[in-house]
């Protein structure tokens, strides 16, 4: 399986550094939460805003989404197209799945916007859709070419969400053990 490169940035990255032809799939909440994001996303000629949540991942709604996305990307070349996904875990699962099947698979960049997605779901390449009330029943393994952890994007979240992310981080550290667990348990004492 291909290895994703990981980029830590303070600001949002230059679109030209993400790929040649770009489709931005983003949580529609982001331009409302961040003026910087709103200005940044205007640089992408191909944009597909989505409402985050489990209904985005519903297989029933997928045909409508993919029909619109295919039309949007009509003129784009499969060799040059990169799907850039900005959002939390639900947008990442959806966008990753889209990238894995669009034009038989195109480049993928994940830009997680929640702590859960930054710590967990953007890594490892799992994409997923829900079937009825059964979560994550279909999907693909499709690791991103690049994962961009942008401080500017992550800091747009309300503080309360950091606690959820911290819970996830503790779980990962507990399972992994070693220096991560040692450092975290030292910091929480
Ligand atoms: N693929 C994997 O390996 C993996 C692993 C764990 C979880 N998941 C999936 O991740 C999903 C949960 O992830 P999540 O909690 O990130 O959910 P989410 O994408 O539904 O986001 C949660 C909420 O935060 C909002 N939001 C996102 N970014 C924001 C920001 N910067 N500022 C303010 N609000 C913001 C969203 O609009 C939404 O209302 C589930 O669907 C789960 O199945 C996938």
């Amino acid at each position: 399986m291909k290895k994703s490169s990981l980029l830590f940035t303070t600001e949002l990255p230059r679109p030209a550094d993400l790929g040649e032809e770009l489709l931005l799939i983003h949580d529609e909440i982001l331009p409302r939460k961040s003026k910087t994001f709103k200005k940044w996303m205007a640089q992408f000629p191909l944009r597909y805003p989505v409402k985050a949540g489990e209904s985005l991942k519903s297989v029933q709604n997928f045909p409508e989404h993919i029909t619109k996305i295919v039309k949007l990307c009509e003129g784009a070349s499969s060799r040059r197209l990169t799907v850039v996904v900005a959002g939390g875990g639900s947008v990442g699962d959806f966008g990753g799945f889209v990238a894995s099947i669009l034009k038989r698979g195109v480049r993928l960049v994940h830009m997680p916007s929640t702590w859960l997605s930054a710590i967990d779901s953007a890594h490892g390449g799992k994409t997923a859709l829900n079937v009825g009330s059964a979560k994550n029943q279909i999907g693909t393994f499709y690791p991103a070419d690049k994962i961009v952890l942008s401080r500017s994007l992550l800091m747009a979240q309300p503080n309360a969400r950091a606690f959820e992310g911290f819970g996830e981080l503790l779980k990962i550290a507990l399972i992994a053990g070693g220096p991560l667990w040692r450092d975290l348990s030292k910091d929480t004492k």
Side-chain angles (χ1 to χ4, degrees), residues 27 29-30 33 52-54 57 88-91 93 113-114 116-117 120-121 123 126-127 135-136 153-154 156-158 161 164:
D27 188 331
I29 207 172
L30 297 176
K33 294 279 169 200
E54 293 310 309
K57 289 171 58 178
S90 63
V91 182
D93 278 3
S113 70
T114 63
L116 183 136
S117 56
D120 186 1
S121 63
H123 312 271
K126 282 189 275 173
T127 81
K135 278 191 65 169
N136 303 333
L153 192 54
L154 289 163
Q157 294 176 86
R161 298 225 57 175
E164 292 169 37

Side-chain angles (χ1 to χ4, degrees), residues 163-176:
F163 286 103
E164 292 169 37
F166 194 65
E168 201 58 41
L169 183 59
L170 274 180
K171 189 184 87 187
I172 292 168
L174 186 57
I175 293 167

